[in-house]
Amino acid sequence: MTIFCIGKNYSEHIREMGGKPDSSPVFFIKPETSLLLNNSPFPYPSFSNQIHYEIELVLRISSKAAIVKPEDAFRYFDGIGLGIDFTARDQQQKAKVEGNPWTLAKGFDHSAPISDFLPLSPEIDFQNINFHLNINNSCRQKGNSSTMIFSFEKIISYISEYITLRPGDIIFTGTPQGVGPVFKGDRLEGFIGEKKLLDFLIS
Ligand code: MG
């Protein structure tokens, strides 16, 4: 399976990172070894002093998608969950300055904790999904899918123009504003609406 991640999909987050919005989605890939499941503790890696959290809505692809139109894209995913796109911000800054890829900064082991997926149902309005991240019981990030620059459908359509999506692939859809560092001992809890889907420790 492939883990796709969209960057720069919420304008307030683009602003906090000092960037500019793009006319089409920016995406990158994390390896399968970055997955962290079942709310297992996240082992803080030794090569960074600046691991940042980024909470994101995550889509699960349900059937093979190649060159899909945005209006058909809703047929190609069947679940929605939460993930943390852990980022070694110090390594990412270094890569940006040197013009190098972000693979190390974004794709290191355990950098992609994900929750279980909620099945799609008619009650879920994709244009209006609230989600938030608490750290040690205080809210650090809050987002709503209505404020995404590129919709779920646009994201699926865009990636599928270049790379075939396959069942079981997942897509991190970008983080809202409020990213920041985690520290050993922190407890992260992620919610869609009032439903808690993520609950794990930094170890
Ligand atoms: Mg991200």
Side-chain angles (χ1 to χ4, degrees), residues 51-64:
I51 299 293
H52 273 200
Y53 56 83
E54 296 186 357
I55 194 162
E56 310 196 6
L57 293 170
V58 180
L59 304 179
R60 183 178 61 195
I61 296 297
S62 54
S63 49
K64 186 177 164 184

Side-chain angles (χ1 to χ4, degrees), residues 50-161:
Q50 205 184 10
I51 299 293
H52 273 200
Y53 56 83
E54 296 186 357
I55 194 162
E56 310 196 6
L57 293 170
V58 180
L59 304 179
R60 183 178 61 195
I61 296 297
S62 54
S63 49
K64 186 177 164 184
I67 316 182
V68 166
K69 293 193 194 105
E71 56 267 36
D72 296 327
F74 70 93
R75 297 175 214 267
Y76 294 86
F77 66 104
D78 70 351
I80 189 151
L82 283 175
I84 307 288
D85 169 20
F86 275 126
T87 304
R89 200 67 78 196
D90 44 1
Q91 298 289 343
Q92 187 191 33
Q93 284 310 123
K94 192 163 161 269
K96 280 183 181 175
V97 169
E98 294 170 357
N100 286 330
W102 296 2
T103 312
L104 189 162
K106 288 287 196 178
F108 59 91
D109 284 353
H110 319 300
S111 62
I114 57 168
S115 71
D116 289 338
F117 287 83
L118 305 174
L120 299 194
S121 67
E123 300 92 74
I124 300 182
D125 175 3
F126 291 107
Q127 314 305 330
N128 186 22
I129 298 178
N130 281 305
F131 62 104
H132 71 277
L133 172 69
N134 287 354
I135 300 185
N136 305 327
N137 283 321
S138 91
C139 183
R140 300 290 182 84
Q141 279 188 287
K142 235 186 216 179
N144 184 291
S145 58
S146 67
T147 63
M148 296 192 309
I149 296 169
F150 302 107
S151 66
F152 298 143
E153 290 87 347
K154 175 70 189 165
I155 289 167
I156 289 171
S157 170
Y158 185 78
I159 296 174
S160 81
E161 281 181 44

Side-chain angles (χ1 to χ4, degrees), residues 9 12 14 20 22 27 45 47 59 66 77 107 110 119 121 127 143 190:
N9 204 16
E12 296 295 326
I14 295 172
K20 288 197 183 75
D22 297 293
F27 69 95
F47 61 82
L59 304 179
F77 66 104
H110 319 300
S121 67
Q127 314 305 330

